[in-house]
Amino acid sequence: MDMNVSVGGLQLRNPVMTASGTFGNGLEFAPYGDLEKLGGICVKGLSLKPREGNPMPRIAETPCGMLNAIGIQNPGVEYFVRSILPSLKRVDVAVVANLYACDADEFGELAGILAAEEGVHALEVNVSCPNVKEGGAAFGQDPSQIARVTESVKKRAGNTPVMVKLSPNVTDIVECARAAVDGGADSLSLINTLLGMAVDARNRRPRIANVVAGLSGPAIKPVALRCVHQVCRAVDVPVVGLGGIASAEDALEFILVGAHAVQVGTANFLRPDFAFSLADDMAALLSDMGVESLDEYRGSLVLPL
Amino acid sequence: MSLRDCRNVKVLDVVPVGQSKRPGDFFELVLEYPGWGGWKPGQFVMVRPVSWGPELVWGRPFSICRGDEKSLTLFVQRVGRGTERLSQVLPGEDVTIWGPLGNSFAVEPETPTLMLAGGIGIAPFCGYIERHAAPENLKLFFAHRMPLECYPYAAMTQKAQGQNMLEAQPEDLAGIIDQMGALIREYADGGLVLCCGPTPFMKTAQRFALEHGARLQVSLENRMACGVGACLGCVCKDEKGHHTQVCTKGPIFWADKVEL
């Protein structure tokens, strides 16, 4: 089955991408599978300057999910371009650079640097990280800021497609999606993590140093599906769905409600080879259902009258 | 081809070790050997039974205790949800494992080497002794709170010299610390010291090593989600204060290169 998809100008050999923050720069997972079996890799969030991230502890396990407050730890864009991208370029897979910045101008500057690099096939604008005080959640919850950041990135991105990653921690995600599209987004990815918390009843302490953190994993899939369903019906740009995908059937549910592609996040931690077989498993499941193409299946959810 | 991989293996056996407050608090998990001829003492493996489904999302890291061409043995103490569920797996069950992960302890066969183990921190030293070319140069100092039979101590001290101290009550701690200090001082001149145990135990060893100028390696065990360097959940601070991954840059660090 032809699993090729186009996501707002980004060409993918199949609809399976790995979500930023859960797959390193991709190379960490090379021992566990063929990176060229993936549709794309969204690399760990990048900022202009290196960031140390948040204090420890930063992660906690919860039923069917996990909390994280890593805080965009990364070596900075210059190091990425100089020391990581050359290795990634040798792999025939779409590379999506995930951008994090504190203001719209900085987002634009970062976009300009990365879009100029051969081997960066798209930019994913992270306006939805809940784990940083500056930028992050503040951008993601304000539609006018989302539009402003997106415009700034688009101005500097040239022909490189721009995907905007949205937060579920808002009253109306459709309003945020429209703002991103108004700002020029070529596609959207949703959802980022839900704000959550875990505490230790015995020692009366939060389990994460940041106190609140981002919840991911199978626990959030119903929220993610709802968001993707609502946004796909409201905007004309392609949507990439993510949030709790842990099987081929999970992934197809996102396609069914209208997503063009999916991203796999926390499931990469269930086992490091999880993402590599997902596209084949999706194709097999579609064939079992008698479906001849992804396009035929996409958005074919039958709603009650 | 990489030495590391991920695969499903069968549980061969779950063997209770010793008698503590609750039966089965300590056990050996014996798995089908995954074919990792090149694992080194101090390396670890991520383990996640298939039966966990999505409920427990992470694998759990364990030092490799023993491994031959037939089986891989991990020594486990039941402390949380993961190890509780792991104690309930049955022979024949599928377990996903990935590894061998991380770096390994220094091995200097001709150097007098002191192994400082605290509680469950004894596990990596099983493999260290088994794979060492000159175990007569090894000494194991073992501090523990549970009865000695709960640990694989007796088998280890058949090959290496051993000394153990029980921390039955808080007052025993001072004696253990004094003994650690004396031993580290003894090995400071041309020796090698390796340490694995609770963080306060390793901090104490680090303090003595810096004081006496001993070469010390510590094995860190932080909570981790992936084990492969991607999630950044397990970081510690290096000597410059930068966050660095325990899973890939460790778990073994020279004591003067890491903040505990």
Side-chain angles (χ1 to χ4, degrees), chain A residues 27-212:
Chain A
L27 302 169
E28 293 88 341
F29 286 78
Y32 305 98
D34 181 358
L35 294 172
E36 296 181 4
K37 293 280 283 179
L38 301 171
I41 296 170
C42 297
V43 302
K44 171 72 185 159
L46 292 163
S47 51
L48 271 180
K49 302 289 178 199
R51 287 177 60 95
E52 286 294 337
N54 290 329
M56 292 283 284
R58 302 165 154 191
I59 56 174
E61 192 182 51
T62 70
C64 302
M66 65 175 278
L67 289 161
N68 92 81
I70 305 298
I72 321 275
Q73 180 185 334
N74 79 97
V77 68
E78 189 185 320
Y79 182 89
F80 173 79
V81 167
R82 188 181 67 241
S83 302
I84 297 171
L85 192 56
S87 299
L88 266 180
K89 278 198 282 199
R90 288 196 280 273
V91 184
D92 181 18
V93 65
V95 172
V96 180
N98 182 283
L99 282 57
Y100 169 77
C102 295
D103 60 50
D105 290 342
E106 201 175 300
F107 265 110
E109 190 179 346
L110 198 50
I113 294 168
L114 286 161
E117 290 297 323
E118 188 192 337
V120 173
H121 302 98
L123 305 176
E124 183 176 55
V125 186
N126 184 358
V127 289
S128 47
C129 178
N131 297 322
V132 285
K133 285 175 185 161
E134 71 287 0
F139 282 131
Q141 290 168 346
D142 180 345
S144 65
Q145 290 269 34
I146 293 172
R148 193 171 308 131
V149 166
T150 309
E151 278 170 21
S152 178
V153 169
K154 274 299 284 182
K155 269 184 201 161
R156 303 290 297 273
N159 294 324
T160 305
V162 173
M163 180 186 299
V164 177
K165 187 168 182 176
L166 299 178
S167 169
N169 303 312
V170 294
T171 307
D172 183 1
I173 196 166
V174 168
E175 195 185 352
C176 297
R178 287 192 174 120
V181 173
D182 289 347
D186 299 297
S187 64
L188 305 172
S189 54
L190 56 141
I191 58 174
N192 206 321
T193 53
L194 280 159
L195 268 183
M197 187 171 170
V199 297
D200 186 326
R202 291 179 189 276
N203 73 15
R204 307 184 191 200
R205 298 282 186 281
R207 291 189 186 274
I208 301 262
N210 233 29
V211 184
V212 297

Side-chain angles (χ1 to χ4, degrees), chain A residues 21-24 28-29 31-32 44 52-67 70 73 207 217-218 266 268-273, chain B residues 2 4-8 48 53-60 81 96 98-99 101 222-226 228-235 241-244:
Chain A
T22 65
F23 208 67
E28 293 88 341
F29 286 78
Y32 305 98
K44 171 72 185 159
E52 286 294 337
N54 290 329
M56 292 283 284
R58 302 165 154 191
I59 56 174
E61 192 182 51
T62 70
C64 302
M66 65 175 278
L67 289 161
I70 305 298
Q73 180 185 334
R207 291 189 186 274
T266 300
N268 294 313
F269 305 150
L270 269 68
R271 50 184 301 156
D273 59 357
Chain B
S2 168
R4 285 171 284 160
D5 76 349
C6 172
R7 63 180 65 191
N8 284 359
R48 190 174 180 283
E55 186 193 342
L56 303 183
V57 292
W58 300 337
R60 297 296 194 270
R81 289 196 312 156
T96 305
W98 56 103
L101 300 166
N222 280 1
R223 190 179 301 153
M224 55 183 69
C226 69
V228 304
C231 73
L232 302 179
C234 67
V235 296
H242 297 314
H243 282 136
T244 188

